[in-house]
């Protein structure tokens, strides 16, 4: 028997976002840019403010009550992340500054240790630059090669040849869980299983997935899973690297400094166990606590309810946008998250974005740090609308009205 998902109290949720009730160019703000960074709800802001106002000090190095309590709050946030993605242990949760740093960490530790001349790194054709450039840097240094899993005109990965692409030279597969341009939800569980069948580990970029989907790293069997706090209603400057314990423990340190050591002499340094080994220096304490509060917030709303609400918005927006003459949606995969990229005949996305901005509608225009995706579709850029749990059908209507105004101006 299927259990009905209760609808979100969107009007109530919107009261947690002061920006949505503050005039923007003299109009109500319509925020359709959550794929680049979600707005932050008041409970998250207030939790960070409480830490900064009353609880602030450094962690892991003080004997004072204040320091011990700050350490407790900091580690409680790590536990919230662990539970959120069903990681087996908090020792597998490494704090970073974001998705980009998480991938660079893996490339510069796991990659340097395991990738050599003649080896290959396999990435999907829809990767964001953050999951391309770190591997290019490594490949150039090591004499390795990047190979690409292609995609079709709908923006879906073509997996027919995957078993041939993964060969005895492949040292890692990198794939985004959800495309930041196309909204495609990739079958990462299948990709991981097929890579593992050949003994190849997989890194999943989950930056666009965790705000919309239940993520279970054990069920996926992901070797590495990375994401950022600010796309999950949390603050900027905080991100997560999840890794299988045996992989993390075999990786050398990355940044050196305080907190990541066991002992230091002039002759030799010994290193702390994971995850401290990868967290040199003072960590982003307020940001970690803020991410923990963000996880509390979205968990209380319910990811099932969030997904149902966003799916309905995506369907409504797709129907309305497809009815606009001269508009073409880029990315029509069967499985999509709440992202719509589009082009308008004869009008550059930057012009669309600027005019929409003055209508109070915030969208993204450009290549979205995914230039290979633009090349694949033979376009320079797109306009992208991305929806979150606080958006409404009225927001979609405002987007459509704004696009019609853009067309009117350029007639």
């Amino acid at each position: 028997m299927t259990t009905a998902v209760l609808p979100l109290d969107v009007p109530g949720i919107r009261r947690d976002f002061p920006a949505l009730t503050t005039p923007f160019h003299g109009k109500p703000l319509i925020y359709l840019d959550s794929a680049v960074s979600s707005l932050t709800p008041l409970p998250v802001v207030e939790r960070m403010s409480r830490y900064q106002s009353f609880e602030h000090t450094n962690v892991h190095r003080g004997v004072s009550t204040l320091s011990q309590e700050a350490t407790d709050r900091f580690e409680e946030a790590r536990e919230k992340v662990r539970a959120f993605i069903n990681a087996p242990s908090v020792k597998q949760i490494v704090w970073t500054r974001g998705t980009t740093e998480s991938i660079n960490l893996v490339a510069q530790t796991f990659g340097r240790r395991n990738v050599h001349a003649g080896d290959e790194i396999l990435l999907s054709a829809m990767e964001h630059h953050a999951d391309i450039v770190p591997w290019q840097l490594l490949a150039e240094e090591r004499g390795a090669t990047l190979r690409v899993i292609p995609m079709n005109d709908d923006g879906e990965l073509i997996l027919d040849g995957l078993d041939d692409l993964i060969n005895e030279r492949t040292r890692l597969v990198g794939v985004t869980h959800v495309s930041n341009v196309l909204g495609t939800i990739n079958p990462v569980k299948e990709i991981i299983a097929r890579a593992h069948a050949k003994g190849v580990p997989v890194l999943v970029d989950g930056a666009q997935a965790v705000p919309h989907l239940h993520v279970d790293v054990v069920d996926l069997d992901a070797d590495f899973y990375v994401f950022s706090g600010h796309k999950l209603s949390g603050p900027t400057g905080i991100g997560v690297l999840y890794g299988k314990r045996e992989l993390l423990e075999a990786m050398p340190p990355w940044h050196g400094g305080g907190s990541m050591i066991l002992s230091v002499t002039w002759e030799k340094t010994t290193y702390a166990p994971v995850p401290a080994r990868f967290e040199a220096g003072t960590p982003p304490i307020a940001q970690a606590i803020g991410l923990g509060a963000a996880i509390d917030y979205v968990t209380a709303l319910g990811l099932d309810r969030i997904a149902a609400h966003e799916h309905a918005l995506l369907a409504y927006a797709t129907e309305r946008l497809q009815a606009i003459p001269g508009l073409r949606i880029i990315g029509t995969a069967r499985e999509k998250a709440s992202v719509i990229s589009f082009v308008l005949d004869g009008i550059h996305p930057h012009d669309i974005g600027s005019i929409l901005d003055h209508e109070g509608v915030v969208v993204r225009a450009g290549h979205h740090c995914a230039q290979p995706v633009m090349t694949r579709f033979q376009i320079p850029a797109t306009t992208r609308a991305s929806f979150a749990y606080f958006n409404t059908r009225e927001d979609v209507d405002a987007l459509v009205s704004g696009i019609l105004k853009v067309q009117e101006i350029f007639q």
Side-chain angles (χ1 to χ4, degrees):
M1 184 176 70
T2 302
T3 303
V5 176
L6 294 174
L8 292 174
D9 173 19
V10 177
I13 291 170
R14 289 173 67 86
R15 286 194 286 274
D16 284 337
F17 296 88
L20 297 177
T21 59
T22 303
F24 180 71
H25 293 314
K27 300 176 181 178
L29 173 65
I30 309 296
Y31 191 79
L32 302 179
D33 203 12
S34 290
V36 77
S37 196
S38 174
L39 297 178
T40 309
L42 278 175
V44 175
V45 175
E46 290 167 351
R47 182 63 192 92
M48 294 176 67
S49 176
R50 189 164 85 241
Y51 167 76
Q52 293 288 176
S53 300
F54 304 107
E55 304 169 352
H56 173 72
T57 186
N58 217 322
V59 296
H60 293 155
R61 62 188 67 182
V63 296
S64 69
T65 300
L66 198 63
S67 179
Q68 291 176 26
E69 290 179 347
T71 301
D72 289 344
R73 303 292 90 75
F74 180 70
E75 293 301 327
E76 284 170 6
R78 198 189 306 266
E79 165 58 24
K80 290 176 183 178
V81 171
R82 185 211 63 76
F84 187 64
I85 61 173
N86 194 34
S89 168
V90 290
K91 296 184 183 300
Q92 295 170 261
I93 305 298
V94 180
W95 296 122
T96 66
R97 289 185 300 158
T99 299
T100 299
E101 185 169 270
S102 295
I103 296 173
N104 275 278
L105 192 163
V106 176
Q108 294 300 316
T109 55
F110 172 87
R112 279 188 167 182
R113 178 154 288 186
N114 293 284
V115 177
H116 305 286
D119 289 341
E120 296 178 355
I121 300 160
L122 182 62
L123 305 174
S124 91
M126 63 180 72
E127 294 310 301
H128 182 278
H129 294 169
D131 200 25
I132 299 175
V133 180
W135 303 113
Q136 280 184 332
L137 290 169
L138 179 71
E140 289 169 2
E141 175 187 309
R142 294 291 173 167
T145 303
L146 297 190
R147 300 192 72 188
V148 179
I149 306 169
M151 65 175 158
N152 62 25
D153 291 341
D154 290 325
E156 297 171 323
L157 293 179
I158 301 171
L159 299 180
D160 295 347
L162 181 62
D163 295 332
D164 293 326
L165 284 169
I166 302 172
N167 58 49
E168 69 280 1
R169 295 182 298 278
T170 311
R171 293 294 170 262
L172 181 125
V173 174
V175 61
T176 184
H177 200 163
V178 173
S179 165
N180 71 313
V181 177
L182 310 167
T184 306
I185 301 174
N186 284 317
V188 292
K189 186 173 180 178
E190 176 190 346
I191 293 169
I192 292 168
R194 290 170 68 173
H196 284 179
K198 296 196 174 186
V200 176
V202 179
L203 180 147
V204 181
D205 176 351
Q208 299 292 341
V210 290
H212 310 292
L213 310 173
H214 276 294
V215 171
D216 183 330
V217 293
V218 173
D219 181 59
L220 292 175
D221 202 17
D223 299 281
F224 300 105
Y225 197 98
V226 301
F227 62 94
S228 299
H230 69 102
K231 298 183 193 294
L232 186 60
S233 302
T236 58
I238 185 73
V240 170
L241 162 64
Y242 158 81
K244 286 186 175 174
R245 194 159 177 174
E246 64 273 20
L247 293 175
L248 293 177
E249 289 179 342
M251 287 156 51
W254 184 34
H255 293 156
S259 295
M260 49 80 71
I261 55 90
L262 285 178
S263 67
V264 177
T265 67
W266 288 116
E267 291 75 28
K268 184 176 176 57
T269 295
T270 57
Y271 303 109
V274 295
R277 180 186 305 170
F278 302 112
E279 297 178 355
T282 297
I285 305 166
Q287 291 87 341
I289 292 171
L291 176 55
I295 288 173
D296 288 343
Y297 188 84
V298 297
T299 301
L301 294 180
L303 273 171
D304 287 342
R305 300 166 76 197
I306 289 173
H309 175 75
E310 293 177 348
H311 182 75
L313 273 182
L314 176 68
Y316 180 66
T318 301
E319 180 183 359
R320 292 225 56 194
L321 291 176
Q322 284 178 327
I324 298 176
L327 186 148
R328 178 165 64 101
I329 292 176
I330 306 297
T332 52
R334 287 163 292 183
E335 297 293 331
K336 282 189 67 172
S338 54
V339 172
I340 300 183
S341 281
F342 60 90
V343 293
L344 274 179
D345 286 349
I347 309 174
H348 194 281
H350 286 169
D351 293 324
I352 300 169
S354 295
I355 295 171
L356 288 176
D357 181 71
H358 283 83
E359 293 298 307
V361 181
V362 176
V363 295
R364 207 67 172 176
H367 54 62
H368 315 298
C369 294
Q371 287 180 307
V373 176
M374 301 297 121
T375 301
R376 167 61 181 79
F377 287 94
Q378 298 182 314
I379 52 178
T382 74
T383 305
R384 183 186 68 190
S386 51
F387 307 100
Y389 49 82
F390 50 74
N391 289 124
T392 64
R393 287 166 71 98
E394 289 73 20
D395 292 345
V396 175
D397 294 339
L399 171 67
V400 171
S401 296
I403 293 171
L404 294 175
K405 184 165 186 175
V406 171
Q407 288 183 316
E408 183 180 325
I409 291 171
F410 277 84
Q411 276 182 349

